[in-house]
Every structure is written in C-alpha cells, then in structure tokens.
Amino acid sequence: MTVCSGDFAGRVASECREAAFRLLRLQDAISEEIAAQDVSGRMIAELQVLDQVSQTIADLGEVFAKLAVADGEPISLATIALARQKSLRQRLSGQPDLGETDGDELF
C-alpha cells in the first residue's frame, strides 16, 4: 500500500501547522504560569504537550530524511513507520485521528 505524495505532503503540512499551534499555546501557558509563579497541574499537562510537539517534529524529520532520497516515488507505509508515534503514523496514513496515544511515549 502507498499514499499519494501530494496527499502526504498536505498531511505533513497540516501536522506542522498543528505542531506550531500547540507550541504557541504552550508558550502562552508557560508565560501565564511564570507570571503567577505557580506550577500547577495545568502546567504539567502543558509540558507534556511540549514533549508531544518535540516528538512530532523529530518524527517528521526522520520521515523527511527518507523522502529526500525517495526520488518522487509514492510514499510507502515503511516510510511512514519511521514516525515513532502511533497517532502520528495514523494521521499521516490518512486514518481518522481517534486521539489515541497508545504507543506514544510521554515523560
């Protein structure tokens, strides 16, 4: 099974936009917490988001490294499997995002 490269590129762009949005939210939350000088459960949850964003960016880097030598061929599931996060692999494959993080490692 393969995924059309145009569709795949759109999904990657969507992942990058979502990661950027989540990072912006995290920055806002950190700013608010630092201003209040209070570390809360909310802050810990937002720090976990930072870990997810970091993993996503790292995984996308691995996928793009593979694509750099793919010479425009269709995207194989083996290439998508370079992403360590199950939820990211599902989204890049075009499967519905069920919000599952089973297999995604969080600190």
Side-chain angles (χ1 to χ4, degrees), residues 7-91:
D7 292 343
F8 184 79
R11 290 182 191 124
V12 171
S14 177
E15 286 295 324
C16 291
R17 283 190 298 272
E18 179 63 23
F21 174 74
R22 293 177 81 178
L23 185 55
L24 180 60
R25 281 188 42 222
L26 175 62
Q27 291 169 329
D28 290 344
I30 289 173
S31 295
E32 291 171 12
E33 292 293 330
I34 289 173
Q37 295 188 19
D38 182 23
V39 177
S40 65
R42 177 177 168 242
M43 183 64 173
I44 292 168
E46 291 297 335
L47 288 174
Q48 287 182 326
V49 170
L50 177 60
D51 186 53
Q52 290 173 331
V53 170
S54 176
Q55 286 185 45
T56 297
I57 292 169
D59 284 349
L60 291 174
E62 290 296 320
V63 171
F64 273 110
K66 177 70 173 178
L67 293 178
V69 297
D71 198 26
E73 296 176 14
I75 309 307
S76 70
L77 292 180
T79 298
I80 294 171
L82 292 170
R84 296 169 294 167
Q85 299 174 82
K86 179 181 178 182
S87 57
L88 177 59
R89 289 191 309 268
Q90 289 173 330
R91 292 190 305 272

Coordinates of all heavy atoms in Angstrom, one line a residue, residues 7-91:
D7 N -1.1 14.0 -1.4 CA -1.9 13.9 -0.2 C -0.9 13.9 1.0 O -1.2 14.5 2.0 CB -2.7 12.6 -0.2 CG -3.8 12.7 -1.3 OD1 -4.1 13.8 -1.7 OD2 -4.3 11.6 -1.6
F8 N 0.1 13.2 0.9 CA 1.1 13.0 2.0 C 1.7 14.4 2.4 O 1.7 14.8 3.5 CB 2.2 12.1 1.7 CG 3.1 11.8 2.8 CD1 2.8 11.0 3.8 CD2 4.4 12.4 2.8 CE1 3.7 10.7 4.9 CE2 5.2 12.2 3.9 CZ 4.9 11.4 4.9
A9 N 2.1 15.2 1.4 CA 2.6 16.5 1.6 C 1.6 17.4 2.3 O 2.0 18.1 3.2 CB 3.1 17.1 0.3
G10 N 0.4 17.3 1.9 CA -0.7 18.1 2.6 C -0.8 17.7 4.1 O -1.0 18.5 4.9
R11 N -0.7 16.4 4.3 CA -0.9 15.9 5.7 C 0.3 16.4 6.5 O 0.2 16.7 7.7 CB -1.0 14.4 5.7 CG -2.3 13.9 5.2 CD -2.4 12.4 5.3 NE -3.6 12.0 4.5 CZ -3.6 11.1 3.5 NH1 -2.4 10.5 3.2 NH2 -4.7 10.8 2.9
V12 N 1.5 16.3 5.9 CA 2.7 16.8 6.7 C 2.6 18.3 7.0 O 2.9 18.7 8.1 CB 4.0 16.5 5.8 CG1 5.2 17.2 6.5 CG2 4.2 15.0 5.8
A13 N 2.1 19.0 6.0 CA 1.9 20.5 6.2 C 0.9 20.7 7.4 O 1.1 21.5 8.2 CB 1.4 21.1 4.9
S14 N -0.1 19.9 7.4 CA -1.1 20.0 8.5 C -0.5 19.7 9.8 O -0.8 20.3 10.8 CB -2.3 19.1 8.2 OG -3.2 19.1 9.2
E15 N 0.3 18.6 9.9 CA 1.0 18.3 11.1 C 1.9 19.4 11.6 O 1.9 19.7 12.8 CB 1.8 17.0 10.9 CG 1.0 15.8 10.8 CD 0.2 15.4 12.1 OE1 0.8 15.7 13.2 OE2 -0.9 14.9 12.0
C16 N 2.6 20.0 10.7 CA 3.5 21.1 11.0 C 2.7 22.3 11.6 O 3.1 22.9 12.6 CB 4.4 21.5 9.8 SG 5.6 20.3 9.4
R17 N 1.6 22.6 10.9 CA 0.8 23.7 11.4 C 0.2 23.4 12.8 O 0.2 24.3 13.7 CB -0.4 24.0 10.4 CG 0.0 24.8 9.2 CD -1.2 25.2 8.3 NE -2.0 24.1 7.9 CZ -1.8 23.5 6.7 NH1 -0.8 23.8 5.9 NH2 -2.6 22.5 6.4
E18 N -0.3 22.2 13.0 CA -0.8 21.8 14.3 C 0.3 21.9 15.4 O 0.0 22.4 16.5 CB -1.4 20.4 14.2 CG -2.0 19.9 15.5 CD -3.2 20.7 16.1 OE1 -3.9 21.4 15.3 OE2 -3.4 20.7 17.3
A19 N 1.5 21.4 15.0 CA 2.6 21.5 16.0 C 2.9 22.9 16.3 O 3.1 23.2 17.5 CB 3.8 20.7 15.4
A20 N 2.9 23.8 15.4 CA 3.2 25.2 15.6 C 2.1 25.8 16.5 O 2.4 26.6 17.4 CB 3.3 26.0 14.3
F21 N 0.8 25.5 16.3 CA -0.2 26.0 17.1 C -0.1 25.5 18.5 O -0.3 26.3 19.5 CB -1.6 25.6 16.5 CG -2.8 25.9 17.4 CD1 -3.2 27.3 17.4 CD2 -3.4 25.0 18.1 CE1 -4.3 27.6 18.2 CE2 -4.5 25.3 18.9 CZ -4.9 26.7 19.0
R22 N 0.2 24.2 18.7 CA 0.3 23.7 20.0 C 1.5 24.3 20.8 O 1.5 24.6 22.0 CB 0.5 22.2 20.0 CG -0.8 21.5 19.5 CD -0.6 20.0 19.4 NE -0.8 19.4 20.7 CZ -0.8 18.2 20.9 NH1 -0.6 17.3 19.9 NH2 -0.9 17.7 22.2
L23 N 2.6 24.6 20.1 CA 3.7 25.2 20.7 C 3.4 26.6 21.1 O 3.8 27.1 22.2 CB 4.9 25.2 19.7 CG 6.2 25.8 20.2 CD1 6.7 25.1 21.5 CD2 7.3 25.7 19.2
L24 N 2.6 27.3 20.3 CA 2.2 28.7 20.7 C 1.3 28.6 22.0 O 1.5 29.5 22.9 CB 1.4 29.3 19.5 CG 0.9 30.7 19.8 CD1 2.0 31.7 20.0 CD2 0.1 31.2 18.6
R25 N 0.4 27.7 22.0 CA -0.4 27.5 23.2 C 0.5 27.3 24.5 O 0.2 27.8 25.5 CB -1.4 26.4 23.1 CG -2.6 26.8 22.3 CD -3.7 25.7 22.3 NE -3.9 25.1 23.6 CZ -4.0 23.8 23.8 NH1 -4.0 22.9 22.8 NH2 -4.2 23.3 25.0
L26 N 1.5 26.4 24.3 CA 2.4 26.1 25.4 C 3.1 27.3 25.8 O 3.3 27.6 27.0 CB 3.4 25.0 24.9 CG 4.5 24.7 25.9 CD1 3.8 24.1 27.2 CD2 5.4 23.7 25.4
Q27 N 3.6 28.1 24.9 CA 4.3 29.3 25.2 C 3.4 30.3 26.0 O 3.9 30.9 27.0 CB 4.8 30.0 24.0 CG 6.0 29.3 23.3 CD 6.3 29.8 21.9 OE1 5.4 30.3 21.2 NE2 7.5 29.7 21.5
D28 N 2.2 30.4 25.6 CA 1.2 31.2 26.4 C 1.0 30.7 27.8 O 1.0 31.5 28.7 CB -0.1 31.3 25.6 CG -0.1 32.1 24.3 OD1 0.9 32.8 24.1 OD2 -1.0 31.9 23.5
A29 N 0.9 29.4 27.9 CA 0.7 28.8 29.2 C 1.9 29.0 30.1 O 1.7 29.3 31.3 CB 0.3 27.3 29.1
I30 N 3.1 28.8 29.6 CA 4.3 29.0 30.4 C 4.4 30.5 30.8 O 4.7 30.7 32.0 CB 5.5 28.6 29.6 CG1 5.6 27.1 29.4 CG2 6.8 29.1 30.3 CD1 6.7 26.5 28.5
S31 N 4.1 31.4 29.9 CA 4.1 32.8 30.3 C 3.2 33.1 31.4 O 3.5 33.8 32.4 CB 3.8 33.7 29.1 OG 4.8 33.5 28.1
E32 N 2.0 32.6 31.3 CA 1.0 32.8 32.4 C 1.5 32.2 33.7 O 1.3 32.9 34.8 CB -0.4 32.2 32.0 CG -1.1 32.9 30.9 CD -2.3 32.1 30.4 OE1 -2.7 31.2 31.1 OE2 -2.8 32.5 29.3
E33 N 2.0 31.0 33.7 CA 2.4 30.4 34.9 C 3.6 31.1 35.5 O 3.7 31.2 36.8 CB 2.8 28.9 34.7 CG 1.5 28.0 34.3 CD 0.6 27.9 35.5 OE1 1.0 27.9 36.7 OE2 -0.6 27.7 35.3
I34 N 4.6 31.5 34.7 CA 5.7 32.1 35.2 C 5.3 33.5 35.9 O 5.8 33.8 36.9 CB 6.8 32.4 34.1 CG1 7.4 31.0 33.8 CG2 7.8 33.3 34.5 CD1 8.3 31.0 32.6
A35 N 4.4 34.2 35.2 CA 3.9 35.4 35.8 C 3.3 35.2 37.1 O 3.4 36.0 38.0 CB 2.9 36.1 34.8
A36 N 2.6 34.1 37.3 CA 1.9 33.8 38.6 C 2.8 33.1 39.6 O 2.5 33.0 40.7 CB 0.7 33.0 38.3
Q37 N 4.0 32.7 39.1 CA 5.0 31.9 39.8 C 4.3 30.8 40.6 O 4.5 30.6 41.8 CB 5.7 32.8 40.8 CG 6.6 33.9 40.1 CD 7.4 34.7 41.0 OE1 7.7 34.3 42.1 NE2 7.9 35.8 40.5
D38 N 3.5 30.0 39.9 CA 2.8 28.9 40.5 C 2.8 27.7 39.5 O 2.3 27.9 38.4 CB 1.4 29.3 40.8 CG 0.6 28.2 41.5 OD1 1.2 27.3 42.1 OD2 -0.6 28.2 41.4
V39 N 3.4 26.6 39.8 CA 3.4 25.4 39.0 C 2.2 24.6 39.3 O 2.1 24.1 40.5 CB 4.7 24.6 39.1 CG1 4.6 23.4 38.2 CG2 5.9 25.5 38.7
S40 N 1.3 24.4 38.4 CA 0.0 23.7 38.6 C -0.1 22.4 37.8 O 0.8 22.1 37.0 CB -1.1 24.6 38.3 OG -1.1 24.9 36.9
G41 N -1.1 21.7 38.0 CA -1.4 20.5 37.2 C -1.5 20.9 35.8 O -1.2 20.1 34.9
R42 N -2.1 22.0 35.5 CA -2.2 22.5 34.1 C -0.9 22.7 33.5 O -0.7 22.3 32.3 CB -3.0 23.8 34.1 CG -3.1 24.4 32.7 CD -4.0 25.7 32.7 NE -3.8 26.4 31.4 CZ -3.3 27.6 31.3 NH1 -2.9 28.3 32.3 NH2 -3.2 28.1 30.1
M43 N 0.1 23.2 34.3 CA 1.4 23.4 33.7 C 2.1 22.1 33.4 O 2.7 22.0 32.3 CB 2.3 24.2 34.7 CG 3.6 24.5 34.3 SD 3.5 25.6 32.9 CE 5.2 26.0 32.6
I44 N 1.9 21.1 34.2 CA 2.5 19.8 34.0 C 1.8 19.2 32.7 O 2.5 18.7 31.8 CB 2.3 18.9 35.2 CG1 3.1 19.4 36.3 CG2 2.6 17.4 34.8 CD1 2.8 18.7 37.7
A45 N 0.5 19.4 32.5 CA -0.1 18.9 31.3 C 0.4 19.6 30.1 O 0.6 19.0 29.0 CB -1.6 19.1 31.4
E46 N 0.6 20.9 30.2 CA 1.1 21.6 29.0 C 2.6 21.2 28.7 O 3.0 21.2 27.5 CB 1.0 23.2 29.3 CG -0.4 23.7 29.3 CD -1.1 23.5 28.0 OE1 -0.5 23.5 26.9 OE2 -2.3 23.5 28.0
L47 N 3.3 20.9 29.7 CA 4.7 20.4 29.5 C 4.7 19.1 28.7 O 5.6 18.8 27.9 CB 5.5 20.3 30.8 CG 5.9 21.7 31.4 CD1 6.5 21.5 32.8 CD2 6.8 22.5 30.5
Q48 N 3.7 18.3 29.0 CA 3.6 17.0 28.2 C 3.3 17.3 26.8 O 3.7 16.6 25.9 CB 2.5 16.1 28.8 CG 2.9 15.5 30.1 CD 1.9 14.6 30.7 OE1 0.7 14.8 30.6 NE2 2.3 13.6 31.4
V49 N 2.5 18.4 26.5 CA 2.3 18.8 25.1 C 3.6 19.2 24.4 O 3.8 18.8 23.3 CB 1.3 20.0 25.1 CG1 1.2 20.6 23.7 CG2 -0.1 19.5 25.5
L50 N 4.5 19.8 25.2 CA 5.8 20.2 24.6 C 6.5 18.9 24.2 O 7.1 18.9 23.1 CB 6.6 21.0 25.6 CG 8.0 21.3 25.2 CD1 8.0 22.2 23.9 CD2 8.8 22.0 26.3
D51 N 6.4 17.9 25.0 CA 7.1 16.6 24.7 C 6.5 16.0 23.4 O 7.2 15.5 22.5 CB 6.9 15.6 25.8 CG 7.7 14.3 25.6 OD1 8.9 14.4 25.3 OD2 7.1 13.2 25.7
Q52 N 5.1 16.1 23.3 CA 4.5 15.6 22.0 C 4.9 16.4 20.8 O 5.2 15.8 19.8 CB 3.0 15.6 22.2 CG 2.4 14.7 23.2 CD 0.9 14.9 23.4 OE1 0.4 16.0 23.3 NE2 0.2 13.8 23.7
V53 N 5.0 17.7 21.0 CA 5.4 18.5 19.8 C 6.9 18.2 19.5 O 7.2 18.0 18.3 CB 5.3 20.0 20.2 CG1 6.0 20.9 19.1 CG2 3.8 20.4 20.3
S54 N 7.7 18.0 20.4 CA 9.1 17.6 20.2 C 9.2 16.3 19.5 O 10.0 16.2 18.5 CB 9.9 17.6 21.5 OG 11.2 17.2 21.3
Q55 N 8.4 15.3 19.9 CA 8.4 14.0 19.3 C 7.9 14.1 17.8 O 8.5 13.5 16.9 CB 7.5 13.0 20.0 CG 8.1 12.5 21.3 CD 7.3 11.5 21.9 OE1 6.8 10.5 21.3 NE2 7.1 11.6 23.2
T56 N 6.9 14.9 17.6 CA 6.3 15.1 16.3 C 7.3 15.7 15.3 O 7.5 15.2 14.2 CB 5.0 15.9 16.3 OG1 4.1 15.2 17.1 CG2 4.5 16.1 14.9
I57 N 8.0 16.7 15.8 CA 9.0 17.4 14.9 C 10.1 16.4 14.6 O 10.6 16.3 13.5 CB 9.5 18.7 15.6 CG1 8.3 19.7 15.6 CG2 10.7 19.2 14.8 CD1 8.6 20.9 16.4
A58 N 10.6 15.7 15.6 CA 11.7 14.7 15.4 C 11.2 13.6 14.4 O 12.0 13.2 13.5 CB 12.1 14.1 16.7
D59 N 10.0 13.1 14.6 CA 9.5 12.0 13.7 C 9.4 12.5 12.3 O 9.7 11.8 11.3 CB 8.1 11.5 14.2 CG 8.2 10.6 15.4 OD1 9.4 10.2 15.8 OD2 7.2 10.3 16.0
L60 N 8.8 13.7 12.1 CA 8.7 14.3 10.8 C 10.1 14.5 10.1 O 10.2 14.3 8.9 CB 7.9 15.6 10.8 CG 6.4 15.5 11.2 CD1 5.8 16.9 11.3 CD2 5.7 14.7 10.1
G61 N 11.1 14.8 11.0 CA 12.4 14.9 10.4 C 12.9 13.6 9.9 O 13.5 13.6 8.8
E62 N 12.6 12.5 10.6 CA 13.0 11.2 10.1 C 12.3 10.9 8.8 O 12.9 10.3 7.8 CB 12.7 10.1 11.1 CG 13.6 10.2 12.4 CD 15.0 9.9 12.1 OE1 15.3 9.0 11.2 OE2 15.9 10.6 12.6
V63 N 11.0 11.2 8.7 CA 10.3 10.9 7.5 C 10.8 11.7 6.4 O 11.0 11.2 5.2 CB 8.8 11.1 7.8 CG1 8.0 11.0 6.5 CG2 8.2 10.1 8.8
F64 N 11.0 13.0 6.6 CA 11.5 13.8 5.5 C 12.9 13.4 5.1 O 13.3 13.5 3.9 CB 11.5 15.3 5.9 CG 10.2 16.0 5.6 CD1 9.4 16.3 6.7 CD2 9.8 16.2 4.3 CE1 8.2 17.0 6.4 CE2 8.6 16.8 4.0 CZ 7.8 17.2 5.1
A65 N 13.8 12.9 6.0 CA 15.1 12.4 5.6 C 14.9 11.3 4.6 O 15.7 11.2 3.6 CB 15.9 12.0 6.8
K66 N 14.0 10.4 4.8 CA 13.7 9.3 3.9 C 13.2 9.8 2.6 O 13.6 9.3 1.5 CB 12.7 8.3 4.6 CG 12.3 7.2 3.7 CD 13.5 6.2 3.5 CE 13.0 5.0 2.7 NZ 14.0 4.0 2.5
L67 N 12.3 10.8 2.7 CA 11.7 11.4 1.4 C 12.8 12.1 0.6 O 12.6 12.1 -0.7 CB 10.6 12.3 1.8 CG 9.4 11.7 2.4 CD1 8.4 12.8 2.7 CD2 8.7 10.7 1.5
A68 N 13.8 12.6 1.2 CA 14.8 13.3 0.5 C 15.5 12.4 -0.5 O 16.1 12.9 -1.5 CB 15.9 13.9 1.4
V69 N 15.5 11.1 -0.3 CA 16.2 10.1 -1.2 C 15.2 9.3 -2.0 O 15.5 8.3 -2.6 CB 17.2 9.3 -0.5 CG1 18.3 10.1 0.1 CG2 16.5 8.4 0.6
A70 N 13.9 9.6 -1.8 CA 12.8 8.7 -2.4 C 12.6 9.0 -3.9 O 11.9 8.3 -4.6 CB 11.5 8.9 -1.7
D71 N 13.1 10.1 -4.4 CA 13.1 10.4 -5.8 C 11.6 10.5 -6.4 O 11.3 10.0 -7.5 CB 13.9 9.4 -6.6 CG 14.2 10.0 -8.0 OD1 14.2 11.2 -8.2 OD2 14.4 9.1 -8.9
G72 N 10.7 11.1 -5.6 CA 9.3 11.3 -6.0 C 8.5 10.0 -6.1 O 7.4 10.1 -6.6
E73 N 8.9 8.9 -5.6 CA 8.1 7.7 -5.6 C 7.0 7.8 -4.6 O 7.0 8.6 -3.7 CB 9.0 6.5 -5.2 CG 10.1 6.2 -6.2 CD 11.0 5.1 -5.8 OE1 10.6 4.4 -4.9 OE2 12.1 5.0 -6.4
P74 N 5.9 7.0 -4.8 CA 4.8 7.1 -3.8 C 5.4 6.7 -2.4 O 6.4 6.0 -2.2 CB 3.9 6.0 -4.3 CG 4.2 5.8 -5.7 CD 5.7 6.1 -5.9
I75 N 4.7 7.3 -1.4 CA 5.1 7.1 0.0 C 4.7 5.7 0.5 O 3.5 5.4 0.5 CB 4.5 8.2 0.9 CG1 4.8 9.6 0.3 CG2 5.0 8.1 2.3 CD1 6.2 9.9 -0.1
S76 N 5.6 4.9 0.9 CA 5.3 3.6 1.4 C 5.0 3.7 2.9 O 5.3 4.6 3.6 CB 6.5 2.6 1.2 OG 7.5 3.0 2.1
L77 N 4.3 2.7 3.4 CA 4.0 2.6 4.8 C 5.2 2.4 5.6 O 5.3 2.8 6.8 CB 3.0 1.5 5.1 CG 1.6 1.7 4.5 CD1 0.6 0.6 4.9 CD2 1.0 3.0 5.0
A78 N 6.3 1.8 5.0 CA 7.5 1.7 5.7 C 8.2 3.1 6.0 O 8.8 3.3 7.0 CB 8.5 0.8 4.9
T79 N 8.0 4.0 5.1 CA 8.5 5.4 5.3 C 7.7 6.0 6.4 O 8.2 6.6 7.3 CB 8.4 6.2 4.0 OG1 9.2 5.6 3.0 CG2 8.8 7.6 4.3
I80 N 6.4 5.9 6.4 CA 5.5 6.4 7.5 C 5.8 5.8 8.8 O 5.8 6.5 9.8 CB 4.0 6.3 7.1 CG1 3.7 7.1 5.9 CG2 3.1 6.7 8.3 CD1 2.4 6.9 5.3
A81 N 6.2 4.5 8.8 CA 6.6 3.8 10.0 C 7.8 4.4 10.7 O 8.1 4.0 11.9 CB 6.7 2.3 9.7
L82 N 8.6 5.2 10.0 CA 9.7 5.9 10.7 C 9.3 6.8 11.8 O 10.0 7.1 12.7 CB 10.5 6.7 9.6 CG 11.2 5.9 8.6 CD1 11.8 6.8 7.5 CD2 12.3 5.0 9.2
A83 N 8.0 7.2 11.8 CA 7.5 8.0 12.9 C 7.2 7.1 14.1 O 6.5 6.1 13.9 CB 6.2 8.7 12.5
R84 N 7.8 7.4 15.2 CA 7.6 6.5 16.4 C 6.2 6.6 17.0 O 5.8 5.7 17.6 CB 8.6 6.9 17.5 CG 10.1 6.7 17.0 CD 11.0 7.3 18.0 NE 10.9 8.8 17.9 CZ 11.3 9.7 18.8 NH1 12.0 9.2 19.8 NH2 11.1 10.9 18.6
Q85 N 5.5 7.7 16.8 CA 4.2 7.9 17.5 C 3.1 7.2 16.6 O 2.9 7.6 15.5 CB 3.9 9.4 17.6 CG 4.9 10.1 18.4 CD 4.6 11.6 18.4 OE1 3.7 12.1 19.1 NE2 5.3 12.3 17.5
K86 N 2.4 6.4 17.3 CA 1.3 5.7 16.6 C 0.3 6.6 16.1 O -0.2 6.5 14.9 CB 0.6 4.7 17.6 CG -0.6 3.9 17.0 CD -1.2 3.0 18.0 CE -2.4 2.3 17.4 NZ -3.1 1.5 18.3
S87 N -0.1 7.6 16.9 CA -1.1 8.6 16.4 C -0.7 9.4 15.2 O -1.4 9.7 14.3 CB -1.5 9.5 17.6 OG -0.4 10.2 18.1
L88 N 0.6 9.7 15.2 CA 1.2 10.5 14.0 C 1.2 9.6 12.8 O 0.8 10.0 11.7 CB 2.6 11.0 14.3 CG 3.3 11.7 13.2 CD1 2.5 12.9 12.7 CD2 4.7 12.1 13.6
R89 N 1.6 8.3 12.9 CA 1.5 7.4 11.8 C 0.1 7.2 11.2 O -0.1 7.2 10.0 CB 2.1 6.0 12.2 CG 3.6 6.0 12.5 CD 4.1 4.5 12.6 NE 3.4 3.7 13.6 CZ 3.7 3.6 14.9 NH1 4.7 4.3 15.4 NH2 2.9 2.8 15.6
Q90 N -0.9 7.2 12.1 CA -2.2 7.0 11.6 C -2.7 8.3 10.9 O -3.3 8.2 9.8 CB -3.2 6.8 12.8 CG -3.0 5.4 13.4 CD -3.8 5.3 14.7 OE1 -4.1 6.2 15.5 NE2 -4.2 4.1 15.0
R91 N -2.4 9.5 11.4 CA -2.8 10.7 10.7 C -2.1 10.8 9.4 O -2.7 11.2 8.4 CB -2.5 11.9 11.6 CG -3.4 12.0 12.8 CD -3.2 13.3 13.5 NE -1.9 13.7 13.9 CZ -1.3 13.3 15.1 NH1 -1.9 12.5 16.0 NH2 -0.1 13.7 15.4

